[in-house]
Amino acid sequence: MTTTAYAPARTVLRVEIRTAAGWHPVCDLALLTRGRGVAALLPDGTQAAVFLGRTGNAYAIGNRDPFTGAYVLSRGLLGSAPPAEGGRPFVASPLLKQRFDLATGRCLDDEEVAVPAYETRIAEVAA
């Protein structure tokens, strides 16, 4: 008689971005560091900058800095706008330091400029 041992089902948390084609998996949540960003290649060939905020929320905006054309926003510094400006989380470009709202993609330093903003979710998936 042979017995088979089964490993218990395991799940992981994965960050996903909503694109026009649907939800796109980016990476396991455990691979992100709070306050830091990573670049992700989307199905249409564009890049997104994905961040895990200090409160544990995931954000995604376009990775291309519209002021320089460089794909560097994922390497920017996270911060929060002062309460007078809504207290919203932002990323400051590592090049010229313009700040981009992580929820809307709007540039906080130039109202006429914005980057794409993506809806994100943290999904539980079987490993």
Side-chain angles (χ1 to χ4, degrees):
M1 176 181 207
T2 308
T3 59
T4 305
Y6 292 97
R10 204 180 74 146
T11 60
V12 296
L13 297 176
R14 180 170 296 145
V15 177
E16 298 179 343
I17 296 175
R18 186 178 197 145
T19 66
W23 288 100
H24 176 72
V26 175
C27 67
D28 290 350
L29 181 63
L31 297 175
L32 296 178
T33 302
R34 288 181 192 229
R36 304 285 306 264
V38 298
L41 185 62
L42 300 179
D44 66 359
T46 60
Q47 292 183 25
V50 182
F51 300 93
L52 184 61
R54 297 190 199 306
T55 60
N57 295 332
Y59 301 95
I61 60 172
N63 194 34
R64 184 178 175 275
D65 181 337
F67 292 95
T68 64
Y71 291 85
V72 296
L73 291 182
S74 62
R75 294 187 288 167
L77 298 174
L78 293 188
S80 294
E85 294 180 22
R88 302 191 53 116
F90 67 81
V91 62
S93 171
L95 298 178
L96 301 177
K97 309 303 185 232
Q98 284 89 356
R99 301 169 301 150
F100 296 90
D101 185 310
L102 290 176
T104 66
R106 185 177 60 86
C107 180
L108 301 176
D109 302 303
D110 185 337
E111 293 179 5
E112 296 181 13
V113 178
V115 296
Y118 301 94
E119 183 180 353
T120 62
R121 71 179 180 188
I122 298 174
E124 195 172 289
V125 295

